[in-house]
Amino acid sequence: MSTVQISAADVNKLRQQTGAGMMDCKKALIEANGDFEAAVDYLRKKGAKVAASRQDRDSNEGVVIAKATADGTRGVVVELNCETDFVAKNADFVALANTFTDLAIAKNPASLEELLALEIDGQKVSDIIVENTGKIGEKIGISKFETVTGDKVVPYIHGNYRLGVLVALNQAGAGVEEAGKDVAMQIAAMSPVALDKADVDATTIERETEIAKEQIRAEGKPEEMVEKIAAGKLNKFYKDSTLLNQEFVKDSSKDVRKFLNDVSNGLTVVAFKRIQLGA
């Protein structure tokens, strides 16, 4: 047994150098009697060193998992990334993503930072990620985490875990879940920028208006007509790009707002999240 005293500063230094977890670094230094080079070799043999050498790699592959609580009032969506499609399709990698999502469902973290700080069997999620980076041999990490609440939250996963959607509705009665699934599929396909006209940010409105004006001027329209025509184009943008005003993909005779109201009087979407892998 080593008699060398291992300080917290030494452990932190090795962690910064290798990217390995705190407990792994401490164990490595104990095994190496405080010798940093030997400790690094120990970590390399265990696979932990891989994490440090992979920090500059791109991790644009992965999976997106969307789930709701048992009572259907809260949903979370998590994107776990890796470097290759081969790893993304691995059952263990998908299971890891599901484990993190289940933890978020159980513990209700308010942010990605809070999720990374949660523990599974005494080990932080952030350290589990580093450990699995070493095991898998690819840089992995959680890049996105979103949550919504409502009377009924419907999760939807599209395209072999490549896109996840959460839809929060203001009712939980008969037919609501099926309607929510239809709306989730609409969001996946049509990628709305906001829920309704009032939810579009000012920067987007300004950009769309300026684009419209330039198009109108390029067509040779008189300047006095530019503002009026631009307003019409902006209304078309709202119709195409805001969820409740979009033409319902399953029935083009109505928009999403009317579709929901036909299902149940007053039924509407109060929030949604759409996460696409790598986007």
Side-chain angles (χ1 to χ4, degrees):
M1 185 73 181
S2 172
T3 57
V4 176
Q5 292 296 312
I6 307 299
S7 70
D10 288 335
V11 174
N12 189 54
K13 179 181 175 183
L14 185 60
R15 187 184 190 192
Q16 293 297 319
Q17 185 178 338
T18 64
M22 293 292 280
M23 295 307 296
D24 289 335
C25 288
K26 184 176 181 180
K27 184 176 180 181
L29 285 166
I30 291 171
E31 292 288 332
N33 288 315
D35 185 321
F36 269 80
E37 287 189 11
V40 170
D41 287 345
Y42 175 88
L43 287 169
R44 290 183 67 186
K45 290 172 184 174
K46 296 293 183 182
K49 173 61 179 172
V50 176
S53 64
R54 296 241 166 203
Q55 291 310 304
D56 59 348
R57 293 289 192 94
D58 290 330
S59 51
N60 296 323
E61 287 294 335
V63 295
V64 181
I65 307 292
K67 292 188 177 185
T69 52
D71 65 1
T73 61
R74 179 169 54 86
V76 303
V77 57
V78 172
E79 179 177 336
L80 181 67
N81 299 108
C82 57
E83 294 176 31
T84 65
D85 184 51
F86 176 78
V87 168
K89 290 179 177 177
N90 182 278
D92 289 340
F93 183 80
V94 176
L96 184 65
N98 274 292
T99 296
F100 293 152
T101 307
D102 289 340
L103 182 67
I105 285 288
K107 299 296 186 181
N108 195 19
S111 65
L112 175 55
E113 290 71 24
E114 286 190 17
L115 173 58
L116 292 171
L118 292 176
E119 295 185 353
I120 299 174
D121 296 330
Q123 190 176 16
K124 285 184 179 180
V125 168
S126 56
D127 289 335
I128 293 171
I129 288 171
V130 171
E131 181 181 284
N132 277 273
T133 296
K135 287 179 181 177
I136 294 170
E138 290 191 7
K139 179 184 175 183
I140 69 170
I142 300 174
S143 61
K144 299 187 191 76
F145 166 70
E146 297 285 357
T147 183
V148 299
T149 58
D151 290 339
K152 183 64 178 179
V153 174
V154 180
Y156 173 66
I157 299 172
H158 179 76
N160 197 25
Y161 302 111
R162 300 191 73 84
L163 191 156
V165 174
L166 296 173
V167 180
L169 300 123
N170 65 339
Q171 296 178 21
V176 170
E177 184 163 3
E178 185 178 346
K181 181 74 175 290
D182 285 338
V183 173
M185 292 171 70
Q186 168 105 15
I187 293 165
M190 304 304 291
S191 190
V193 300
L195 179 59
D196 206 348
K197 294 179 182 180
D199 304 301
V200 181
D201 67 84
T203 302
T204 299
I205 293 172
E206 184 178 347
R207 183 176 68 247
E208 291 299 323
T209 302
E210 285 306 310
I211 290 170
K213 286 180 179 179
E214 288 304 314
Q215 289 173 342
I216 295 160
R217 290 183 180 118
E219 292 167 2
K221 296 290 194 297
E223 190 64 30
E224 60 269 20
M225 294 179 63
V226 169
E227 290 290 340
K228 184 177 180 180
I229 299 173
K233 284 182 174 287
L234 187 60
N235 282 330
K236 174 121 183 5
F237 168 78
Y238 288 140
K239 186 177 185 298
D240 293 340
S241 303
T242 58
L243 177 62
L244 294 176
N245 301 292
Q246 282 181 340
E247 186 178 280
F248 182 45
V249 293
K250 284 193 169 184
D251 182 353
S252 60
S253 70
K254 60 183 75 174
D255 58 21
V256 173
R257 189 192 314 272
K258 187 174 190 315
F259 158 68
L260 288 170
N261 195 67
D262 287 349
V263 171
S264 176
N265 187 40
L267 177 64
T268 192
V269 176
V270 294
F272 74 88
K273 297 292 180 182
R274 180 185 187 276
I275 290 183
Q276 185 170 350
L277 184 65

